[in-house]
Amino acid sequence: MTATLPHVGGIAADEPVYRILLIEDDDADALLVEELLHDTELRFELTTCASLAEARSELTARDVDCILLDLHLPDVSGTDAVTAVRAMTAHTAVIVLTGLSEKQAGSEAMAAGAQDYLVKGKVEAELLRRTVRYAVYRSHSERAAAEAQSARQRAEENARLERGLLPPPLLDTSTVTVTTRYLPGAEQALLGGDFLDVVEDDDGLLHAVVGDVSGHGADAAALGVCLRIAWRSLVLAGHHGTELLRLMERLLLAERGTQPLFATCTLLTLDQQAATATLYLAGHHAPLLTTSEKTLEVSAGHGVALGIVPGRHDWPATVVPLPASGALTLYTDGLTEGHNGDAGGRLGIEGLLPLIDTTPSGDPAAHLDSLIRRTRALNAGRHTDDLAVLRLGWDFHPG
């Protein structure tokens, strides 16, 4: 494999530098192509490989704008060469170099995915210049169109998942303020297996859940949707506490099939008349209780995650007295497992609590947005996990 330094011809300095990979095993032909490129007055960087294997290694290490491909290589030939190169880099311009006797090779190569073809011995500098520029322009247009289509598909899938994972709260007479936030772990990623929901039953009790299915991607998201819908249906049907968790675990076992998925969750029932919250923790974090003075993690009994030890059904209840004014925050571990800036290690609950108390809390939505921005700034992209947060705020008035 050989490489040349960038070549600058006698054209405008704002002309792009084309990164060109020549895959050609004949040294004489490779030299002719290089000389022709110099005559085009294109600005270019040229790397030459003598086989598909060398090219694969080069394409793994760096991006290129255009590939000049001979159809007869030591390890592949004909349209198989085009197919193999396109598989390695689907949106890079490919120009095939054919022999004088290969009348059909060029059109067959284009049918296999090449942008254009040139016949060796009949290529002039001007033709090569126009062919390279047009092929690169066309490949960039194809890539932009593919990325736009992919973005539309992600947006559509996220919208469908959001309807399943993040339904609007089902409230009637409750005066509790419900604020939610959900962010995928990576930029442009699909929503994952985190889920949350809030409903008010006929007795005026407010029920909430925040959960997290292990793993990422479509399977975790699909199971999260199933569990969230099951939770809402079961709560409205009158199931609560240990019985509710038992039925959710039964559904999880049926829906996960042979996949080793499990789920953690926090169930909360808020009684506004009694000013209490009843908690059940299935392998999940305890909520955070914010009062007029500070924010603390609620002390609560812990039980096993759903699907870890099927049939154990060990989920103790914890009743928490509530202040006249305050908030409970339920969240998934995307909020605490990121890095703690330059301090080293994970943020954890110890790092999160001071952030909450130093984040302006006048408006619940602005408070959550600011808190999430601060945790993500500290993490600086080093840890990626989905994040779901549910905040319930209240101001009870006697009588």
Side-chain angles (χ1 to χ4, degrees):
M1 181 171 63
T2 60
T4 68
L5 294 174
H7 167 77
V8 181
I11 55 176
D14 58 354
E15 180 79 10
V17 176
Y18 294 98
R19 298 165 296 180
I20 300 175
L21 175 64
L22 171 62
I23 311 177
E24 170 64 79
D25 66 327
D26 187 298
D27 291 341
D29 284 348
L31 181 60
L32 287 174
V33 171
E34 182 177 347
E35 290 177 348
L36 269 174
L37 281 169
H38 282 283
D39 291 341
T40 64
E41 295 190 336
L42 290 172
R43 306 173 74 207
F44 67 89
E45 297 173 357
L46 177 66
T47 302
T48 302
C49 295
S51 67
L52 183 67
E54 282 188 18
R56 180 178 287 107
S57 176
E58 178 66 16
L59 290 170
T60 300
R62 59 193 288 265
D63 293 328
V64 300
D65 300 305
C66 181
I67 296 172
L68 301 177
L69 173 65
D70 178 47
L71 289 182
H72 300 288
L73 300 170
D75 46 359
V76 68
S77 63
T79 57
D80 289 344
V82 179
T83 302
V85 169
R86 296 297 283 179
M88 288 186 283
T89 176
H91 298 296
T92 298
V94 177
I95 301 172
V96 164
L97 304 176
T98 70
L100 288 170
S101 62
E102 300 173 298
K103 295 182 178 180
Q104 299 297 321
S107 57
E108 291 173 354
M110 291 185 67
Q115 262 77 29
D116 211 333
Y117 70 96
L118 297 170
V119 179
K120 295 179 181 178
K122 289 191 173 183
V123 183
E124 297 179 350
E126 176 62 20
L127 175 59
L128 180 58
R129 184 179 72 86
R130 285 190 284 107
T131 302
V132 168
R133 293 180 69 182
Y134 174 73
V136 171
Y137 172 79
R138 181 179 169 189
S139 70
H140 286 176
S141 298
E142 291 173 350
R143 176 177 300 187
E147 289 175 349
Q149 175 66 14
S150 178
R152 285 193 296 270
Q153 290 176 341
R154 281 195 301 269
E156 291 170 358
E157 292 183 44
N158 263 333
R160 287 193 294 270
L161 287 174
E162 186 170 351
R163 288 193 295 270
L165 293 167
L166 312 171
L170 187 58
L171 305 177
D172 187 10
T173 62
S174 176
T175 59
V176 173
T177 300
V178 178
T179 309
T180 64
R181 289 294 183 269
Y182 193 125
L183 294 174
E187 193 77 19
Q188 296 185 329
L190 287 174
L191 300 178
D194 293 7
F195 59 95
L196 55 82
D197 201 355
V198 178
V199 300
E200 184 181 5
D201 66 18
D202 293 337
D203 296 327
L205 298 177
L206 200 70
H207 303 278
V209 62
V210 164
D212 184 0
V213 177
S214 62
H216 301 279
D219 291 332
L223 187 53
V225 170
C226 286
L227 291 174
R228 202 285 304 166
I229 293 174
W231 176 86
R232 176 174 282 205
S233 300
L234 291 168
V235 166
L236 293 176
H239 297 282
H240 306 297
T242 299
E243 174 65 10
L244 173 56
L245 288 167
R246 184 187 68 80
L247 292 171
M248 290 177 65
E249 181 175 67
R250 183 178 176 182
L251 176 70
L252 181 148
L253 296 175
E255 293 292 335
R256 75 180 181 184
T258 59
Q259 300 178 87
L261 298 175
F262 63 91
T264 67
C265 66
T266 293
L267 304 188
L268 181 148
T269 297
L270 194 154
D271 187 334
Q272 299 173 73
Q273 295 298 320
T276 61
T278 302
L279 301 174
Y280 292 87
L281 307 180
H284 206 79
H285 322 285
L288 307 177
L289 176 60
T290 299
T291 66
S292 58
E293 299 177 353
K294 57 183 176 179
T295 298
L296 295 172
E297 185 177 33
V298 172
S299 178
H302 287 260
V304 67
L306 306 181
I308 292 289
V309 187
R312 182 172 176 178
H313 302 163
D314 181 18
W315 300 294
T318 301
V319 178
V320 180
L322 301 179
S325 178
L328 279 165
T329 302
L330 289 69
Y331 61 97
T332 58
D333 53 17
L335 190 62
T336 55
E337 287 197 348
H339 288 260
N340 190 13
D342 296 331
R346 302 295 184 180
L347 179 66
I349 189 65
E350 297 81 6
L352 179 64
L353 292 177
L355 287 181
I356 293 175
D357 285 336
T358 56
T359 299
S361 57
D363 175 69
H367 173 76
L368 280 188
D369 290 337
S370 179
L371 178 64
I372 291 170
R373 281 196 302 270
R374 294 179 68 185
T375 59
R376 292 206 156 188
L378 288 171
N379 182 46
R382 288 172 288 181
H383 175 75
T384 57
D385 199 0
D386 302 320
L387 164 64
V389 183
L390 167 61
R391 183 185 187 277
L392 304 174
W394 64 87
D395 186 7
F396 300 145
H397 298 283

